[in-house]
mmCIF file of all heavy atoms in Angstrom:
data_model
loop_
_atom_site.group_PDB
_atom_site.id
_atom_site.type_symbol
_atom_site.label_atom_id
_atom_site.label_comp_id
_atom_site.label_asym_id
_atom_site.label_seq_id
_atom_site.Cartn_x
_atom_site.Cartn_y
_atom_site.Cartn_z
ATOM 1 N N TYR A 1 -28.889 6.645 0.340
ATOM 2 C CA TYR A 1 -27.627 7.431 0.038
ATOM 3 C C TYR A 1 -26.762 7.480 1.274
ATOM 4 O O TYR A 1 -25.506 7.325 1.110
ATOM 5 C CB TYR A 1 -27.954 8.801 -0.470
ATOM 6 C CG TYR A 1 -26.710 9.585 -0.586
ATOM 7 C CD1 TYR A 1 -25.813 9.266 -1.651
ATOM 8 C CD2 TYR A 1 -26.271 10.453 0.397
ATOM 9 C CE1 TYR A 1 -24.589 9.877 -1.745
ATOM 10 C CE2 TYR A 1 -25.025 11.083 0.277
ATOM 11 C CZ TYR A 1 -24.180 10.809 -0.774
ATOM 12 O OH TYR A 1 -22.951 11.401 -0.828
ATOM 13 N N ALA A 2 -27.340 7.780 2.431
ATOM 14 C CA ALA A 2 -26.515 7.940 3.605
ATOM 15 C C ALA A 2 -25.752 6.624 3.941
ATOM 16 O O ALA A 2 -24.621 6.677 4.322
ATOM 17 C CB ALA A 2 -27.384 8.282 4.857
ATOM 18 N N LEU A 3 -26.435 5.500 3.786
ATOM 19 C CA LEU A 3 -25.803 4.197 3.989
ATOM 20 C C LEU A 3 -24.715 3.897 2.911
ATOM 21 O O LEU A 3 -23.679 3.318 3.244
ATOM 22 C CB LEU A 3 -26.850 3.105 3.996
ATOM 23 C CG LEU A 3 -27.787 3.116 5.263
ATOM 24 C CD1 LEU A 3 -28.967 2.293 5.073
ATOM 25 C CD2 LEU A 3 -27.021 2.659 6.476
ATOM 26 N N SER A 4 -25.012 4.296 1.697
ATOM 27 C CA SER A 4 -24.042 4.092 0.639
ATOM 28 C C SER A 4 -22.788 4.897 0.868
ATOM 29 O O SER A 4 -21.685 4.401 0.768
ATOM 30 C CB SER A 4 -24.641 4.590 -0.691
ATOM 31 O OG SER A 4 -23.726 4.499 -1.750
ATOM 32 N N ARG A 5 -22.913 6.141 1.383
ATOM 33 C CA ARG A 5 -21.879 6.980 1.756
ATOM 34 C C ARG A 5 -21.057 6.348 2.874
ATOM 35 O O ARG A 5 -19.807 6.326 2.940
ATOM 36 C CB ARG A 5 -22.359 8.366 2.124
ATOM 37 C CG ARG A 5 -21.309 9.354 2.680
ATOM 38 C CD ARG A 5 -20.274 9.798 1.619
ATOM 39 N NE ARG A 5 -19.402 10.767 2.190
ATOM 40 C CZ ARG A 5 -18.107 10.903 1.816
ATOM 41 N NH1 ARG A 5 -17.640 10.097 0.895
ATOM 42 N NH2 ARG A 5 -17.361 11.775 2.338
ATOM 43 N N LYS A 6 -21.794 5.814 3.847
ATOM 44 C CA LYS A 6 -21.138 5.164 5.047
ATOM 45 C C LYS A 6 -20.321 3.941 4.592
ATOM 46 O O LYS A 6 -19.267 3.733 5.111
ATOM 47 C CB LYS A 6 -22.233 4.772 6.051
ATOM 48 C CG LYS A 6 -21.635 4.213 7.362
ATOM 49 C CD LYS A 6 -22.740 3.995 8.408
ATOM 50 C CE LYS A 6 -22.159 3.483 9.694
ATOM 51 N NZ LYS A 6 -23.230 3.252 10.711
ATOM 52 N N PHE A 7 -20.828 3.244 3.624
ATOM 53 C CA PHE A 7 -20.100 2.059 3.080
ATOM 54 C C PHE A 7 -18.759 2.480 2.571
ATOM 55 O O PHE A 7 -17.687 1.870 2.901
ATOM 56 C CB PHE A 7 -20.967 1.412 1.959
ATOM 57 C CG PHE A 7 -20.321 0.125 1.405
ATOM 58 C CD1 PHE A 7 -20.654 -1.123 1.945
ATOM 59 C CD2 PHE A 7 -19.388 0.232 0.335
ATOM 60 C CE1 PHE A 7 -20.104 -2.230 1.375
ATOM 61 C CE2 PHE A 7 -18.829 -0.954 -0.187
ATOM 62 C CZ PHE A 7 -19.230 -2.164 0.311
ATOM 63 N N HIS A 8 -18.705 3.563 1.791
ATOM 64 C CA HIS A 8 -17.444 4.110 1.286
ATOM 65 C C HIS A 8 -16.514 4.512 2.382
ATOM 66 O O HIS A 8 -15.303 4.133 2.357
ATOM 67 C CB HIS A 8 -17.721 5.252 0.358
ATOM 68 C CG HIS A 8 -18.167 4.869 -1.022
ATOM 69 N ND1 HIS A 8 -17.476 5.231 -2.121
ATOM 70 C CD2 HIS A 8 -19.261 4.273 -1.457
ATOM 71 C CE1 HIS A 8 -18.096 4.775 -3.202
ATOM 72 N NE2 HIS A 8 -19.237 4.194 -2.809
ATOM 73 N N LEU A 9 -17.051 5.195 3.380
ATOM 74 C CA LEU A 9 -16.220 5.686 4.491
ATOM 75 C C LEU A 9 -15.629 4.542 5.327
ATOM 76 O O LEU A 9 -14.487 4.601 5.809
ATOM 77 C CB LEU A 9 -17.028 6.607 5.399
ATOM 78 C CG LEU A 9 -17.418 7.914 4.741
ATOM 79 C CD1 LEU A 9 -18.343 8.759 5.707
ATOM 80 C CD2 LEU A 9 -16.221 8.762 4.353
ATOM 81 N N LEU A 10 -16.449 3.390 5.475
ATOM 82 C CA LEU A 10 -15.921 2.277 6.244
ATOM 83 C C LEU A 10 -14.758 1.626 5.524
ATOM 84 O O LEU A 10 -13.773 1.205 6.159
ATOM 85 C CB LEU A 10 -17.038 1.307 6.457
ATOM 86 C CG LEU A 10 -18.125 1.732 7.529
ATOM 87 C CD1 LEU A 10 -19.278 0.751 7.439
ATOM 88 C CD2 LEU A 10 -17.524 1.718 8.894
ATOM 89 N N VAL A 11 -14.889 1.538 4.193
ATOM 90 C CA VAL A 11 -13.745 0.939 3.406
ATOM 91 C C VAL A 11 -12.508 1.853 3.509
ATOM 92 O O VAL A 11 -11.396 1.309 3.655
ATOM 93 C CB VAL A 11 -14.152 0.715 1.953
ATOM 94 C CG1 VAL A 11 -12.997 0.276 1.115
ATOM 95 C CG2 VAL A 11 -15.332 -0.254 1.850
ATOM 96 N N ILE A 12 -12.733 3.137 3.408
ATOM 97 C CA ILE A 12 -11.579 4.037 3.523
ATOM 98 C C ILE A 12 -10.911 3.926 4.895
ATOM 99 O O ILE A 12 -9.690 3.832 4.995
ATOM 100 C CB ILE A 12 -12.028 5.467 3.267
ATOM 101 C CG1 ILE A 12 -12.551 5.674 1.831
ATOM 102 C CG2 ILE A 12 -10.952 6.468 3.625
ATOM 103 C CD1 ILE A 12 -13.294 6.999 1.573
ATOM 104 N N ASP A 13 -11.737 3.941 5.998
ATOM 105 C CA ASP A 13 -11.153 3.815 7.326
ATOM 106 C C ASP A 13 -10.535 2.467 7.553
ATOM 107 O O ASP A 13 -9.582 2.377 8.346
ATOM 108 C CB ASP A 13 -12.306 4.053 8.378
ATOM 109 C CG ASP A 13 -12.714 5.489 8.439
ATOM 110 O OD1 ASP A 13 -12.030 6.389 7.954
ATOM 111 O OD2 ASP A 13 -13.861 5.748 9.050
ATOM 112 N N GLY A 14 -10.944 1.446 6.852
ATOM 113 C CA GLY A 14 -10.481 0.113 7.021
ATOM 114 C C GLY A 14 -9.057 -0.106 6.595
ATOM 115 O O GLY A 14 -8.405 -1.108 6.798
ATOM 116 N N THR A 15 -8.467 0.962 5.898
ATOM 117 C CA THR A 15 -7.070 0.888 5.490
ATOM 118 C C THR A 15 -6.103 1.020 6.606
ATOM 119 O O THR A 15 -5.004 0.603 6.524
ATOM 120 C CB THR A 15 -6.810 2.063 4.448
ATOM 121 O OG1 THR A 15 -6.873 3.329 5.073
ATOM 122 C CG2 THR A 15 -7.691 1.960 3.258
ATOM 123 N N HIS A 16 -6.569 1.712 7.701
ATOM 124 C CA HIS A 16 -5.752 1.970 8.806
ATOM 125 C C HIS A 16 -4.463 2.752 8.403
ATOM 126 O O HIS A 16 -3.357 2.539 8.929
ATOM 127 C CB HIS A 16 -5.316 0.713 9.590
ATOM 128 C CG HIS A 16 -6.535 -0.001 10.222
ATOM 129 N ND1 HIS A 16 -6.999 0.283 11.456
ATOM 130 C CD2 HIS A 16 -7.349 -0.978 9.671
ATOM 131 C CE1 HIS A 16 -8.110 -0.462 11.645
ATOM 132 N NE2 HIS A 16 -8.290 -1.245 10.606
ATOM 133 N N ASN A 17 -4.632 3.628 7.476
ATOM 134 C CA ASN A 17 -3.557 4.460 6.931
ATOM 135 C C ASN A 17 -4.023 5.920 6.934
ATOM 136 O O ASN A 17 -4.791 6.324 6.073
ATOM 137 C CB ASN A 17 -3.189 4.029 5.507
ATOM 138 C CG ASN A 17 -1.994 4.739 4.891
ATOM 139 O OD1 ASN A 17 -1.929 6.054 4.986
ATOM 140 N ND2 ASN A 17 -1.086 4.082 4.297
ATOM 141 N N LYS A 18 -3.573 6.677 7.905
ATOM 142 C CA LYS A 18 -4.098 8.056 8.128
ATOM 143 C C LYS A 18 -3.862 8.951 6.896
ATOM 144 O O LYS A 18 -4.779 9.704 6.523
ATOM 145 C CB LYS A 18 -3.419 8.694 9.302
ATOM 146 C CG LYS A 18 -3.985 10.119 9.660
ATOM 147 C CD LYS A 18 -3.310 10.639 10.905
ATOM 148 C CE LYS A 18 -3.989 11.988 11.236
ATOM 149 N NZ LYS A 18 -3.946 12.981 10.142
ATOM 150 N N GLU A 19 -2.696 8.853 6.313
ATOM 151 C CA GLU A 19 -2.413 9.718 5.110
ATOM 152 C C GLU A 19 -3.361 9.366 3.966
ATOM 153 O O GLU A 19 -3.919 10.299 3.300
ATOM 154 C CB GLU A 19 -0.951 9.515 4.665
ATOM 155 C CG GLU A 19 0.039 10.255 5.479
ATOM 156 C CD GLU A 19 0.243 9.523 6.914
ATOM 157 O OE1 GLU A 19 -0.094 8.307 6.956
ATOM 158 O OE2 GLU A 19 0.644 10.173 7.819
ATOM 159 N N LEU A 20 -3.613 8.112 3.712
ATOM 160 C CA LEU A 20 -4.499 7.727 2.625
ATOM 161 C C LEU A 20 -5.965 8.107 2.958
ATOM 162 O O LEU A 20 -6.644 8.550 2.086
ATOM 163 C CB LEU A 20 -4.400 6.208 2.433
ATOM 164 C CG LEU A 20 -5.315 5.585 1.349
ATOM 165 C CD1 LEU A 20 -5.004 6.209 -0.006
ATOM 166 C CD2 LEU A 20 -5.052 4.112 1.258
ATOM 167 N N ILE A 21 -6.356 7.932 4.227
ATOM 168 C CA ILE A 21 -7.705 8.299 4.676
ATOM 169 C C ILE A 21 -7.938 9.806 4.433
ATOM 170 O O ILE A 21 -8.925 10.221 3.928
ATOM 171 C CB ILE A 21 -7.928 7.932 6.177
ATOM 172 C CG1 ILE A 21 -7.942 6.387 6.285
ATOM 173 C CG2 ILE A 21 -9.153 8.579 6.683
ATOM 174 C CD1 ILE A 21 -7.865 5.894 7.747
ATOM 175 N N ASP A 22 -6.954 10.620 4.897
ATOM 176 C CA ASP A 22 -7.116 12.088 4.815
ATOM 177 C C ASP A 22 -7.149 12.522 3.352
ATOM 178 O O ASP A 22 -8.006 13.345 2.978
ATOM 179 C CB ASP A 22 -5.948 12.765 5.512
ATOM 180 C CG ASP A 22 -5.946 12.673 7.024
ATOM 181 O OD1 ASP A 22 -7.079 12.260 7.544
ATOM 182 O OD2 ASP A 22 -4.941 12.918 7.712
ATOM 183 N N MET A 23 -6.315 11.959 2.492
ATOM 184 C CA MET A 23 -6.267 12.307 1.082
ATOM 185 C C MET A 23 -7.535 11.939 0.414
ATOM 186 O O MET A 23 -8.123 12.703 -0.392
ATOM 187 C CB MET A 23 -5.053 11.621 0.415
ATOM 188 C CG MET A 23 -4.809 12.001 -1.031
ATOM 189 S SD MET A 23 -3.461 11.051 -1.782
ATOM 190 C CE MET A 23 -2.195 11.203 -0.523
ATOM 191 N N THR A 24 -8.034 10.706 0.645
ATOM 192 C CA THR A 24 -9.239 10.246 -0.016
ATOM 193 C C THR A 24 -10.525 11.004 0.438
ATOM 194 O O THR A 24 -11.339 11.373 -0.382
ATOM 195 C CB THR A 24 -9.474 8.733 0.266
ATOM 196 O OG1 THR A 24 -8.263 7.966 -0.062
ATOM 197 C CG2 THR A 24 -10.586 8.220 -0.560
ATOM 198 N N ASN A 25 -10.602 11.332 1.732
ATOM 199 C CA ASN A 25 -11.711 11.994 2.232
ATOM 200 C C ASN A 25 -11.719 13.524 1.824
ATOM 201 O O ASN A 25 -12.858 14.059 1.612
ATOM 202 C CB ASN A 25 -11.771 11.986 3.794
ATOM 203 C CG ASN A 25 -12.290 10.615 4.297
ATOM 204 O OD1 ASN A 25 -12.977 9.940 3.590
ATOM 205 N ND2 ASN A 25 -11.891 10.267 5.492
ATOM 206 N N LYS A 26 -10.583 14.081 1.624
ATOM 207 C CA LYS A 26 -10.520 15.463 1.090
ATOM 208 C C LYS A 26 -11.126 15.578 -0.256
ATOM 209 O O LYS A 26 -11.918 16.463 -0.463
ATOM 210 C CB LYS A 26 -9.046 15.981 1.139
ATOM 211 C CG LYS A 26 -8.894 17.401 0.745
ATOM 212 C CD LYS A 26 -7.443 17.843 0.814
ATOM 213 C CE LYS A 26 -7.293 19.322 0.367
ATOM 214 N NZ LYS A 26 -5.872 19.739 0.492
ATOM 215 N N LEU A 27 -10.806 14.647 -1.155
ATOM 216 C CA LEU A 27 -11.318 14.697 -2.456
ATOM 217 C C LEU A 27 -12.747 14.274 -2.440
ATOM 218 O O LEU A 27 -13.671 14.817 -3.139
ATOM 219 C CB LEU A 27 -10.545 13.908 -3.469
ATOM 220 C CG LEU A 27 -11.014 13.781 -4.862
ATOM 221 C CD1 LEU A 27 -11.171 15.140 -5.469
ATOM 222 C CD2 LEU A 27 -10.133 12.897 -5.711
ATOM 223 N N GLY A 28 -13.036 13.239 -1.599
ATOM 224 C CA GLY A 28 -14.412 12.708 -1.573
ATOM 225 C C GLY A 28 -15.427 13.726 -1.072
ATOM 226 O O GLY A 28 -16.577 13.736 -1.594
#
């Protein structure tokens, strides 16, 4: 599960878009 969660976070961070990262992580 920890690695699955990390996979999602890496994809989110890979956008290089702070607003999108913050918005997605807040709901996530």
Side-chain angles (χ1 to χ4, degrees):
Y1 172 74
L3 290 164
S4 177
R5 172 71 176 147
K6 187 175 182 179
F7 183 93
H8 280 243
L9 293 175
L10 287 171
V11 174
I12 294 168
D13 287 344
T15 65
H16 297 273
N17 182 314
K18 184 180 184 303
E19 285 70 25
L20 180 57
I21 292 169
D22 290 346
M23 188 185 307
T24 307
N25 283 336
K26 183 177 181 180
L27 178 56

